[in-house]
Amino acid sequence: MLVSAPGLSGRWERLEPRPRARMLRQVLHAGLRTSFHALGRFVASHPVFFASAPVLLSILLGASFSRYRVEEDVESLLAPKHSLAKIEGNLVDSLFPVNRSKHALYSDLQTPGRYGRVIVTTRKGSVLDLAHLDTILKLHKRIYQMQVMVPATGVNSFNYSFSYLCLPDDKNVCIIDDIIRAMEEIQSARTSNRSVPVLRYPITQLADGRQAYIGHQLGGVQGWGPSGAVRGQGTGARGEGVRSARALQLTYYLQARGDLMDRVASQWEKTFCAELQHFAALHPKLGLYPSTSSSLRTDFQFSSVLARRPLLASLGACGVLAVLCCSMRDCVRSKPWLGLLALLSITLSGLTAAGILNLTGATYNSTYLGIPFVMLGHGLFGSFEMLSSWRRTREDQHVKERVASVFEDVMLRFSGSTMLHLMTLGLAASPLTNMEAVRLFCRTAALAVTISYVYMLSFYSSCLVFTGYLETGYRHGCFCRRVPKPDRLDSKPAWYRCLMYTRYQDEAQTTNPPHVVDHAHDHAHDHAHDHAHDHTPNSNLTHTHAHTHPHPHPHTANNPTVTHGHGHEANSTHTHPHPHPHPHPHTHSSASTDPNPQDSHLLLGCVRRCYGDWITNTYVKPFVVLLYLVYISFGLMGFLQVTQGSDPSALVAMDTATVLYTRAQQRYFSSYSPVIGFYIYESAPYWNDSVQRDLLEYAKGFQRISWLEAYLNYLSDRNQSTSQPRENFTHTLRHSFLREPQFAHFADDIIFAERGQGEEPDVAASRIFLVAKTTENKREEMSVLLDTLRRLSLTSRVRFLIFNPSFVYLDRYAAAVSSPLRHSLLAVLFLLGLSSLAVVEPLVSVWLGLTLLSVQFGVLGFMTLWGVELDCMSVLCLISALGHSADCSGPLLCGFASGRGDSRTRWVRVALERHGVPSLQTLICYGAALVPVGSVRSNLTRTLFRCLTLTAGCSALHTLAFLPTLLTFLPPSKSRGHRPDGEGQRQEVECVEMNDSTRVVDQITTV
């Protein structure tokens, strides 16, 4: 028969929305915990299978490394995948093939096709001095006559020279730099004792009357100013005379027709670098800095080669600290092997993920160096949480029950943090991401985290089962040898007693009598204990007396399974059989009731006895709040100075050809931008005076090579009007201007479209070349210039676009890099908000969301202050930082929010003991693994090291300092669920457990 509870009306009452949501969360929690409990029991029942299956699978998939391939197209990785610059490049290539005009469309590192390039500098003097000029021309001759043999051996080998591989012009003559022709003219004049022709900068006039831009071929220039004064380096007006130059740049363009010619060109580039190295050894007065089309790819992937040994050192350092973090004074309860087995589980999951990638035909790149650290942080967090939960389980339970209790206690939180990882990485790996390197990294990292989670449930849990059986049999945690009882250890040496120290169950019960605890309120209940103390201690009989508490015990509130006989227990196995109006101040985590304090874990003891009391001290809290304000201030300072890093050379190994070449480029050739192609892709009335003024106005302020400007000057010199009818304008252009030797090269810049028979064709499309004056921040200025000219093209009457091969890296780079981070952060906040409706406490979601934002803000600000730019590598670290900070702070927040009926300070200490210690252990091992990576001579690994170090540091500050302090005076409140004295008292229950040699056999409960 159903009867109404006392104090409640007999009618049904409608539940309010908040109690209903709380009930839904409780039901879901209970269902999930029960499911994980069953899963833990199943894994513990079949440990051999779950331990061997991951190992065999990893070995089988690891055999697929014969299909290992490295990504060769760096542009597809580091440039935005979908950008307007690529569309413009395709349109330009359809009008004026870029491969044939790349010698005129100069770019720094992104020149398409095959080529060899070298910067020649002088230790002293000018490259135009007689001795240096002769040496440079000798170098040019050796490169021009250099031959390569393909194949290297065999009767079918052929020798290929530059004249066969070079990019030809319309006369089928190899295209060489104009500065070579100018230097040959200077050498010829000096040899024949003629006057040396004046070399002007940045646009000079050659012997055939043609004007040539040499701003990117001659660097470190000092020019003659008015009245013979010497101008500074890289300054001066257009066409000033060159007095001296510190550097010279030569480029040799190749053409690759088919696979064979591409192999030949690749071999020629290697021979080119070897020849320059040999030439530099013979001429120490010159500095040579070579670069080829494959230099960027080779140096980008070289970071992986340099990081091999440091990664092994990271694994070793992390293994040593993991062993120490899993060790205790008690040799039986110590589990040092679990630290190594956790790393083995992470290694096996990485091997499995790599095998899957190999079988699916995926390629590798150096950004994957960050994936092991994503797996390491997440996997170590799960393993230390499981080990901490294991130590809180009841030692008198069977191993299967203890493992099931661990799954029930830990796996819900660990699964939630895994979901956060997969959400952040999965959305960044979606087609919404415009950066291929970011997308591939996040896709691979998501696969690795998923496999690591599965292996943690199977392999590591099975290892926990095996070590649990060792503990049950009182075997040494390291040597697996049975530990003698204390009476047999007394005759052993001191070192042996120290090595074999443990605490037997009967010894624990003897040292911890059934009831020796005093309370201030015992004076009214002494008679209630008489029936519980009339027995003698028995190693096979343990009494557990349930209490009637209006507030739950602080250390059992999170473990509802305690009331079912398979939950976590306190170290004190005997409690009071009478109701208390207040919760116990002494619990299993309290140092005052621990019978052997020296047995506790070192970090746990420090947090329990020292740090927990110190961080929650009233006098310490103001300083922690002040520290957080300083943290936010410096983070804001760095956030306001964030710069984008679109230069691919910032992601290659140090001291490589690309870095040395880039430094020389920035030092000597930073005065002018790359050559910008100004393309008029529709027919325009060039004969119209207003159109001519508009086009000249657009090019004003640039150094320019313009057929239109030269043609208008040509008409003016001949006293002809520049505003002519279309037929006259086009006829003079075709039959007079373009047939002049000094203007014949402009024919490549104009496309004519035929009209009717007998009519002059139209100018269907044309191009001019512009060069902007720049400063040290060349790439930032180029980005601004690109946006300015594009906005101008939208309002211009003449349809034009601008293009340079480097624009594919600059175009919308900041948006392409930052959008994955934005999407991942929004996805996490959305997931937290959605889960707060049914799974997680709403305030936990709020606190966790604020913590993630705070950590991200701090990492982004401090990495800017540390000199890290916002490039694809730093964004990958920021995305992984979301999951890492959730791993560290999420369990602490859940543990604090789930407690009821005690002070905030008390629950902060409890949460630090339960979840702060595993987070601290993870951060210690994680930080040790990062240290060797900081020694790698690579820009990419340097960015990785700095960002991950800041992530670990900011997460540690929030988990161990900021959150424990702020939670002591900010919501959630601990007063919910508190009932007045006398209400809701539970009936007194006595539980008697009967144990034998096989542990728990039965449990009898009397009411």
Side-chain angles (χ1 to χ4, degrees):
M1 177 181 294
L2 294 175
V3 295
S4 61
L8 295 178
S9 61
R11 62 183 179 85
W12 291 96
E13 293 185 357
R14 182 177 179 270
L15 290 176
E16 296 298 326
R18 293 190 62 180
R20 183 188 302 156
R22 190 178 302 116
M23 182 181 297
L24 177 61
R25 282 193 293 271
Q26 291 174 354
V27 171
L28 288 176
H29 266 272
L32 292 174
R33 292 170 71 93
T34 303
S35 301
F36 281 119
H37 184 275
L39 178 62
R41 178 180 285 275
F42 181 75
V43 172
S45 301
H46 308 83
V48 176
F49 171 78
F50 285 103
S52 58
V55 176
L56 294 177
L57 183 61
S58 300
I59 294 175
L60 291 176
L61 292 177
S64 64
F65 268 89
S66 59
R67 300 188 179 187
Y68 175 86
R69 292 188 302 115
V70 177
E71 180 61 49
E72 297 184 357
D73 189 0
V74 179
E75 179 181 324
S76 65
L77 288 176
L78 305 180
K81 189 176 181 180
H82 305 287
S83 64
L84 185 58
K86 289 190 174 182
I87 299 176
E88 293 171 343
N90 293 332
L91 177 58
V92 166
D93 192 63
S94 65
L95 298 174
F96 303 95
V98 176
N99 190 50
R100 294 189 56 83
S101 59
K102 58 186 178 183
H103 63 285
L105 203 63
Y106 169 79
S107 180
D108 297 340
L109 286 175
Q110 296 81 30
T111 301
R114 294 281 187 177
Y115 64 90
R117 184 173 288 166
V118 58
I119 294 179
V120 184
T121 62
T122 59
R123 315 292 184 190
K124 185 178 180 181
S126 171
V127 294
L128 299 179
D129 293 343
L130 180 60
H132 295 322
L133 188 143
D134 293 341
T135 305
I136 292 173
L137 290 178
K138 185 187 300 183
L139 172 64
H140 168 69
K141 185 177 181 181
R142 292 183 61 172
I143 294 175
Y144 201 93
Q145 296 176 351
M146 183 179 65
Q147 294 183 346
V148 295
M149 182 179 294
V150 178
T153 57
V155 295
N156 295 326
S157 300
F158 292 93
N159 290 326
Y160 298 90
S161 63
F162 176 73
S163 59
Y164 183 82
L165 299 172
C166 68
L167 184 67
D169 58 11
D170 293 338
K171 299 179 181 179
N172 206 24
V173 177
C174 290
I175 296 176
I176 60 175
D177 288 335
D178 294 322
I179 190 64
I180 292 294
R181 293 191 172 91
M183 294 175 70
E184 290 175 345
E185 294 172 4
I186 294 175
Q187 185 187 49
S188 176
R190 286 173 176 172
T191 303
S192 59
N193 293 325
R194 291 185 288 107
S195 60
V196 177
V198 178
L199 185 65
R200 301 189 178 277
Y201 183 84
I203 295 179
T204 190
Q205 189 169 3
L206 302 179
D208 57 2
R210 181 168 61 89
Q211 288 188 338
Y213 172 73
I214 59 172
H216 59 273
Q217 299 172 8
L218 208 60
V221 175
Q222 286 185 339
W224 297 105
S227 303
V230 179
R231 292 185 181 271
Q233 176 177 327
T235 62
R238 171 174 175 165
E240 67 179 7
V242 176
R243 178 178 179 270
S244 65
R246 295 293 307 278
L248 181 77
Q249 181 169 234
L250 303 177
T251 306
Y252 299 89
Y253 298 98
L254 309 176
Q255 57 177 342
R257 303 180 299 269
D259 294 337
L260 175 62
M261 296 307 298
D262 187 70
R263 292 199 306 270
V264 174
S266 177
Q267 185 64 31
W268 187 93
E269 291 179 355
K270 297 178 182 178
T271 308
F272 173 78
C273 294
E275 181 68 25
L276 291 177
Q277 185 177 3
H278 176 68
F279 191 85
L282 298 176
H283 301 84
K285 294 183 179 180
L286 295 179
L288 302 180
Y289 304 97
S291 177
T292 63
S293 62
S294 58
S295 295
L296 181 61
R297 172 181 56 82
T298 303
D299 297 338
F300 175 71
Q301 303 294 357
F302 190 57
S303 297
S304 301
V305 179
L306 293 177
R308 288 176 182 173
R309 291 184 178 179
L311 284 178
L312 294 178
S314 298
L315 191 62
C318 184
V320 171
L321 286 178
V323 169
L324 295 177
C325 288
C326 295
S327 300
M328 296 174 60
R329 169 78 190 282
D330 192 319
C331 67
V332 171
R333 293 163 181 84
S334 177
K335 292 176 172 52
W337 290 114
L338 282 183
L340 291 178
L341 291 172
L343 289 181
L344 180 60
S345 175
I346 296 171
T347 304
L348 291 176
S349 60
L351 188 62
T352 303
I356 294 175
L357 292 178
N358 292 328
L359 293 177
T360 55
T363 56
Y364 290 81
N365 62 80
S366 290
T367 60
Y368 286 4
L369 289 174
I371 295 179
F373 295 96
V374 177
M375 301 169 59
L376 188 66
H378 186 58
L380 287 178
F381 159 75
S383 62
F384 286 129
E385 275 281 330
M386 292 178 69
L387 185 57
S388 175
S389 179
W390 171 271
R391 288 174 179 149
R392 296 197 303 270
T393 57
R394 293 166 47 184
E395 294 183 356
D396 59 348
Q397 285 184 314
H398 195 273
V399 172
K400 295 180 181 180
E401 282 297 330
R402 296 183 72 180
V403 173
S405 299
V406 169
F407 269 63
E408 184 178 1
D409 180 50
V410 173
M411 283 305 162
L412 184 58
R413 293 189 301 270
F414 187 55
S415 301
S417 64
T418 304
M419 282 294 298
L420 284 176
H421 274 278
L422 296 181
M423 177 64 73
T424 56
L425 296 172
L427 193 59
S430 67
L432 297 175
T433 299
N434 198 22
M435 188 70 65
E436 189 69 9
V438 177
R439 194 181 66 83
L440 293 177
F441 175 93
C442 294
R443 184 187 68 181
T444 307
L447 174 64
V449 168
T450 303
I451 298 175
S452 177
Y453 173 77
V454 174
Y455 280 14
M456 195 62 62
L457 292 178
S458 56
F459 179 80
Y460 184 78
S461 300
S462 301
C463 297
L464 185 63
V465 173
F466 294 138
T467 56
Y469 282 116
L470 292 178
E471 179 181 337
T472 303
Y474 286 97
R475 294 186 175 273
H476 197 284
C478 184
F479 305 113
C480 304
R481 179 179 178 181
R482 186 173 181 83
V483 178
K485 290 191 175 183
D487 53 353
R488 297 180 57 187
L489 280 176
D490 294 339
S491 60
K492 301 294 183 180
W495 64 268
Y496 189 83
R497 292 198 304 270
C498 181
L499 189 64
M500 292 293 180
Y501 170 79
T502 189
R503 179 166 47 88
Y504 271 80
Q505 187 71 19
D506 52 356
E507 177 189 359
Q509 292 181 358
T510 303
T511 58
N512 187 25
H515 188 65
V516 291
V517 182
D518 292 335
H519 291 278
H521 51 274
D522 282 349
H523 61 87
H525 303 283
D526 288 340
H527 64 280
H529 296 275
D530 294 339
H531 70 282
H533 299 287
D534 291 338
H535 62 279
T536 59
N538 189 337
S539 60
N540 293 330
L541 183 62
T542 302
H543 286 259
T544 303
H545 305 279
H547 306 270
T548 304
H549 295 291
H551 310 299
H553 215 290
H555 283 266
T556 58
N558 289 339
N559 301 314
T561 55
V562 170
T563 59
H564 296 83
H566 53 76
H568 290 62
E569 65 150 1
N571 289 341
S572 177
T573 59
H574 197 95
T575 53
H576 305 298
H578 61 273
H580 294 286
H582 302 288
H584 290 291
H586 66 285
T587 60
H588 72 280
S589 61
S590 174
S592 61
T593 61
D594 194 346
N596 295 285
Q598 69 274 16
D599 293 344
S600 299
H601 191 276
L602 177 62
L603 292 178
L604 178 61
C606 293
V607 172
R608 177 185 298 174
R609 301 182 185 94
C610 302
Y611 185 76
D613 296 335
W614 178 79
I615 197 65
T616 56
N617 190 287
T618 305
Y619 299 101
V620 176
K621 294 178 185 178
F623 294 98
V624 177
V625 174
L626 180 62
L627 178 63
Y628 184 71
L629 295 178
V630 173
Y631 168 87
I632 291 296
S633 301
F634 277 91
L636 180 61
M637 184 189 307
F639 180 78
L640 297 176
Q641 302 176 26
V642 172
T643 57
Q644 65 179 24
S646 58
D647 190 358
S649 63
L651 297 174
V652 301
M654 298 179 183
D655 304 327
T656 55
T658 301
V659 173
L660 298 177
Y661 171 81
T662 303
R663 290 175 183 172
Q665 179 92 24
Q666 293 174 350
R667 181 178 180 182
Y668 298 108
F669 297 93
S670 60
S671 299
Y672 292 97
S673 70
V675 179
I676 303 172
F678 186 96
Y679 296 88
I680 304 171
Y681 56 88
E682 290 184 358
S683 179
Y686 296 95
W687 57 90
N688 190 291
D689 186 62
S690 62
V691 173
Q692 295 173 5
R693 284 197 305 269
D694 289 345
L695 293 177
L696 294 177
E697 184 67 24
Y698 297 158
K700 187 178 181 181
F702 292 92
Q703 299 289 342
R704 52 200 176 273
I705 300 295
S706 171
W707 71 268
L708 180 61
E709 185 176 357
Y711 181 49
L712 296 181
N713 292 333
Y714 173 81
L715 294 177
S716 299
D717 293 340
R718 299 182 61 179
N719 295 323
Q720 295 184 12
S721 174
T722 57
S723 298
Q724 301 179 3
R726 185 191 65 82
E727 291 80 4
N728 297 340
F729 186 89
T730 308
H731 183 273
T732 307
L733 174 65
R734 294 179 61 208
H735 299 286
S736 299
F737 176 74
L738 295 179
R739 293 186 179 182
E740 295 286 340
Q742 65 271 29
F743 304 125
H745 63 283
F746 285 126
D748 296 333
D749 300 336
I750 306 173
I751 298 178
F752 293 98
E754 294 293 337
R755 294 172 64 92
Q757 186 176 2
E759 297 185 16
E760 286 292 335
D762 281 337
V763 179
S766 67
R767 66 180 178 184
I768 60 178
F769 298 107
L770 308 177
V771 182
K773 186 74 174 177
T774 58
T775 59
E776 295 180 356
N777 299 323
K778 180 190 292 188
R779 303 190 75 84
E780 289 77 4
E781 294 176 358
M782 287 293 294
S783 181
V784 173
L785 179 62
L786 175 62
D787 293 337
T788 302
L789 291 178
R790 278 184 176 166
R791 287 195 299 268
L792 180 62
S793 67
L794 298 177
T795 59
S796 174
R797 292 184 298 172
V798 179
R799 299 297 180 183
F800 71 89
L801 55 87
I802 57 174
F803 177 73
N804 182 275
S806 62
F807 287 174
V808 297
Y809 290 90
L810 296 173
D811 190 18
R812 300 291 184 267
Y813 185 86
V817 166
S818 60
S819 61
L821 177 61
R822 245 185 353 258
H823 295 159
S824 297
L825 189 57
L826 292 176
V828 168
L829 297 179
F830 174 76
L831 179 63
L832 291 176
L834 184 64
S835 61
S836 65
L837 300 177
V839 181
V840 185
E841 290 286 341
L843 284 177
V844 174
S845 298
V846 172
W847 270 109
L848 187 56
L850 293 177
T851 302
L852 296 182
L853 289 175
S854 181
V855 171
Q856 285 289 96
F857 183 76
V859 173
L860 183 59
F862 283 103
M863 80 175 192
T864 304
L865 297 179
W866 204 352
V868 178
E869 295 180 331
L870 191 65
D871 54 20
C872 69
M873 198 64 215
S874 58
V875 166
L876 293 176
C877 296
L878 288 172
I879 293 174
S880 62
L882 290 170
H884 185 82
S885 55
D887 285 341
C888 294
S889 57
L892 182 77
L893 290 169
C894 292
F896 174 81
S898 60
R900 297 289 183 272
D902 209 337
S903 64
R904 298 172 181 273
T905 302
R906 180 59 186 163
W907 275 105
V908 166
R909 294 172 184 172
V910 171
L912 280 175
E913 292 174 14
R914 288 186 174 182
H915 309 295
V917 173
S919 298
L920 180 59
Q921 293 170 325
T922 301
L923 292 170
I924 290 175
C925 298
Y926 189 78
L930 287 176
V931 172
V933 180
S935 63
V936 181
R937 297 283 298 170
S938 172
N939 293 319
L940 185 144
T941 55
R942 183 185 62 180
T943 300
L944 179 69
F945 168 75
R946 292 182 177 182
C947 292
L948 293 183
T949 301
L950 290 174
T951 298
C954 293
S955 300
L957 277 176
H958 283 77
T959 304
L960 302 176
F962 296 153
L963 285 177
T965 299
L966 296 176
L967 289 174
T968 57
F969 56 86
L970 292 177
S973 173
K974 297 289 100 182
S975 61
R976 288 188 301 172
H978 178 77
R979 297 181 182 180
D981 293 344
E983 291 186 11
Q985 298 290 336
R986 297 181 181 178
Q987 290 184 339
E988 189 171 289
V989 180
E990 179 180 359
C991 300
V992 180
E993 291 184 356
M994 301 181 62
N995 301 344
D996 62 3
S997 58
T998 60
R999 301 301 168 127
V1000 178
V1001 175
D1002 195 5
Q1003 177 173 329
I1004 304 173
T1005 303
T1006 60
V1007 180

